[in-house]
Amino acid sequence: MEVPGAGRNRRIGPYALLGSGRTVGGGELFAARTDEGLLVTVTVAGPESAADPEFRDRLRAAVEAARRLSGAFLVPVVDADADAPVPWVATRFTAGLPLRHAVDRHGALGEPALRVLADGLARALAVLHGAGTVHGEVDPDSVLLTMDGPRIGALGLVGATASPPPSPTDDMSGLGATVLYAASGGEQDTDALPASLREVIGGCLYPEPSDRPTAEQFVDYLEQQGLPAPEGGWLPPAVAADMAAAAAAVGSARAVRVPVPPRPVRAPGTGVSRRNLIISLAGGAALLGGGAAALAFSGDSAPPSGGRAGGLGTTARPTHPSGARTTSAPSASPSSADGPEPVVLAGPDAVKAWSRTGKRAPTCLEASDKVVMVVTDKATSFMEAASGDRAFGALNTRNSFGANMSTYPTAYADGVFYLLCHAPGQWDLLAAFDAADGKVKWAVSLAASDPGGAKIVSNYGRQYLAASGGTVYVCGLVRDGKFSVDAPKTGYIRALSATTGKKLWQVQGTDINNVLVPPSGSRLLAASAIPAKQPGRVQMIDAARKGARGWKVPLRYPSDYFSSGWPLTGYANGNFLFAGGKGDTLSVVDAATGTEKWHQRFEAKNGDRVSMGAPFSSPDGATVYVPVGSELVALATADGTPRWIATLDGAGDSGGANLFKASLGLGGREAQCSADTVFATDSAKTLWAIDAATGRARWKYSDPSQPDVGFRWAVGGDRVFIASHLTMTAIAAHGR
């Protein structure tokens, strides 16, 4: 990039800039070198800040304060010029990787590394806060991973120069979000936190700043646990290797040396208070409703006059297309050679029915044919499905993390919306809202009904919410503090009355995982949670008999599919569907007896291994849809006869072949149906509306400005509703 004021020789003050910079908080960071070969890191302020005289005054004072700070996990200031054409600050060069880079490239960190990360950041903030300063930009971009632990700058431009400045409690919220990011691989899934950190990180994320622990309390809390430090290097080998390569790329110049000071000393009696970390939920339902909650979507803007969404550009044909070959039992069905020819999806850009801009980005959506429930981290609101106008008053129930690859916290059935949520002073709630008027039917504390009593950090992770036949089901994993790929996970099913929210029954065990709740009937399907490479099974759970186990079907190769998350299963017209074989075979069994009706095996055309996605069905149950890589196959539920095959063209957002997202893993609702349309997203971040009768695309939708993780969406009646950043959009199934 071009740095204002750096000149052609790319110098800032006495430093020559090395390579390109990266954005962190209030500036751009560069590795730099003096003429004598000493390495530093230079932060260059942005042009808007440079034009503000008050910014320069605040920066000058902050630099003087930062020069006096030292800490084992702080990167000290060594030079600065607040009066330069473009203000800059130089800190000691530290060889390491930004946390975001490490997690995005190598995945989530394990418990030992997370504890070192959390402890180091808290110790650094304890020094800053003890000196009366605030960092202000604690996030995965500003945290550096080094061989000796995490590092963060003694001077954060946001904390040093903002007016009014952020508070220490803002830093603690940033610490909690940063550790959660590292634990969940970027998904912000609180269930990914190890038991030793779950309580204190949850405290950092409390909505009320006064309830968050201080940095010193945080450090004291970890010390009192008395857990051993990791032996050897604290980082995974792949991260350490990446770190070494990054350091080598900078060159062999000498870094500016600054003595490493001792750990901060805390005053007696400042240990973390469980009262500040734990809020009792035994009091029951939350205070819901009222005018205090901000309306998430105002519904007062006019719909567009025929505007269109951006389209999808295509590139090369996928190199790994997959086809279907039927091997039905007892009689054979047509092979792919005799079946339908794949139809390459291509269609016009969608025409929006309406679009609205809100005040907060939705975290999850649920829709009926008349109302859309929009949930944010601040409120729950309701929109008219036909117009996007406000339907009812907003409620102060919220969900900060929303839907992700392993969690779906909303459901709709029989005129009622259900939501896993929290409210001011109340956490871990299940609430029911009447879709006719938006009023609260009931709200219960799930933690209060946990075995062992109510706790702010429940041992029962809530991952999947469903409603059917007058019963609401909450499913998830039982946390026991043990984390091993060689040990089976314990799952649970909790059934509650859809009328009152009263707990009806609960079952749990290692044979209950990835639970499927059909839209009708009293039979559920669960998969066993097994150690890697060991046989597993699916089994029927009889809700009419309070969760009694029913028939069982063994699975020979389940390890790649039956792990924590959504089920690789489906339901259609009285039949359960699930992946069998090596993940390449769709098995269809009678839901009442477990008797196999037929099965179908899928093969890649080039001989590569096939991995099915979660099968799903049309609303009438007559057709089963199976995502397999770049192809979506429609089969007759009665006998498995292929009806059509739709295939994607072009490349996904990462440069490989474009794939149906429903074929990539266990999570989320990446494929849904209306009466005559199949909606499915792909890895190019495009939503397709596919004619259920022919397999041909009616339209496609792609928002060029959508978040990196893609948009959130839900189907209600004959419309699809899409949330992208602050914008809600509705599109009719037929695109008119």
Side-chain angles (χ1 to χ4, degrees), residues 317-320 630 650-652 655-659 683:
R317 183 77 172 92
T319 57
H320 300 286
S630 295
N658 192 10
L659 307 173
S683 59

Side-chain angles (χ1 to χ4, degrees), residues 279-336:
I279 301 175
S280 173
L281 291 180
L287 176 64
L288 301 174
L295 183 62
F297 285 85
S298 61
D300 55 3
S301 58
S305 57
R308 294 175 177 266
L312 166 70
T314 60
T315 56
R317 183 77 172 92
T319 57
H320 300 286
S322 55
R325 187 188 69 178
T326 302
T327 56
S328 299
S331 61
S333 296
S335 68
S336 60

Side-chain angles (χ1 to χ4, degrees), residues 693-714:
T694 65
R696 300 185 180 277
R698 288 201 171 108
W699 49 260
K700 63 179 184 292
Y701 172 89
S702 181
D703 176 8
S705 65
Q706 66 184 275
D708 291 340
V709 296
F711 44 72
R712 304 179 188 275
W713 60 287

Side-chain angles (χ1 to χ4, degrees), residues 514-516 525 527 538 562 566-571 577-579 613-616:
N514 298 341
V515 179
L516 172 68
L525 187 66
V538 293
F562 294 89
W566 267 62
L568 197 70
T569 57
Y571 177 87
L577 324 168
F578 56 88
F616 58 101

Side-chain angles (χ1 to χ4, degrees), residues 380-686:
T380 300
S381 60
F382 302 90
M383 308 174 73
E384 296 283 356
S387 64
D389 295 335
R390 172 176 173 167
F392 319 121
L395 305 174
N396 62 2
T397 51
R398 61 195 71 172
N399 190 301
S400 298
F401 300 109
N404 56 46
M405 287 297 289
S406 63
T407 304
Y408 212 92
T410 66
Y412 172 80
D414 302 323
V416 180
F417 289 109
Y418 301 93
L419 174 65
L420 296 173
C421 58
H422 56 273
Q426 301 285 342
W427 287 71
D428 209 4
L429 299 172
L430 173 60
F433 312 119
D434 193 321
D437 56 18
K439 294 182 179 179
V440 180
K441 291 174 66 68
W442 49 260
V444 296
S445 165
L446 292 174
S449 62
D450 280 350
K455 293 182 178 180
I456 183 61
V457 181
S458 172
N459 288 329
Y460 290 81
R462 328 293 181 189
Q463 293 177 294
Y464 173 46
L465 181 64
S468 174
T471 304
V472 185
Y473 299 93
V474 180
C475 308
L477 293 178
V478 181
R479 309 179 180 114
D480 57 6
K482 301 176 182 178
F483 300 90
S484 172
V485 296
D486 298 320
K489 298 178 177 65
T490 298
Y492 74 92
I493 306 171
R494 183 175 302 176
L496 303 96
S497 167
T499 304
T500 65
K502 181 181 178 181
K503 180 179 175 180
L504 302 176
W505 52 265
Q506 177 168 326
V507 293
Q508 66 185 56
T510 57
D511 59 342
I512 293 178
N513 198 27
N514 298 341
V515 179
L516 172 68
V517 179
S520 61
S522 62
R523 299 179 181 91
L524 318 182
L525 187 66
S528 58
I530 58 158
K533 300 181 181 179
Q534 293 188 24
R537 68 190 181 197
V538 293
Q539 68 178 333
M540 187 264 284
I541 304 294
D542 193 342
R545 297 172 56 210
K546 296 186 177 181
R549 272 72 162 176
W551 52 260
K552 302 175 179 65
V553 174
L555 297 169
R556 185 179 177 191
Y557 298 101
S559 59
D560 287 346
Y561 299 92
F562 294 89
S563 58
S564 174
W566 267 62
L568 197 70
T569 57
Y571 177 87
N573 201 24
N575 302 294
F576 282 127
L577 324 168
F578 56 88
K582 295 184 178 181
D584 57 1
T585 302
L586 176 68
S587 295
V588 180
V589 302
D590 185 279
T593 65
T595 303
E596 183 177 88
K597 290 191 171 182
W598 54 269
H599 65 268
Q600 180 167 344
R601 184 174 174 229
F602 297 87
E603 289 184 343
K605 295 176 182 177
N606 58 4
D608 288 347
R609 180 178 173 181
V610 166
S611 292
M612 289 170 43
F616 58 101
S617 75
S618 57
D620 63 6
T623 305
V624 174
Y625 305 102
V626 187
V628 188
S630 295
E631 293 185 347
L632 182 65
V633 184
L635 308 170
T637 302
D639 57 10
T641 301
R643 292 182 170 174
W644 49 257
I645 302 173
T647 184
L648 295 168
D649 204 351
D653 61 347
S654 61
N658 192 10
L659 307 173
F660 282 103
K661 290 189 70 176
S663 72
L664 296 178
L666 301 177
R669 298 182 183 178
E670 303 297 350
Q672 302 174 49
C673 296
S674 68
D676 62 358
T677 307
V678 180
F679 302 95
T681 54
D682 64 19
S683 59
K685 298 182 180 177
T686 300

Side-chain angles (χ1 to χ4, degrees), residues 19-46:
S20 58
R22 62 184 179 91
T23 301
V24 174
E28 294 284 331
L29 264 63
F30 297 83
R33 179 170 51 200
T34 68
D35 293 338
E36 293 76 25
L38 299 178
L39 286 175
V40 296
T41 300
V42 174
T43 302
V44 180

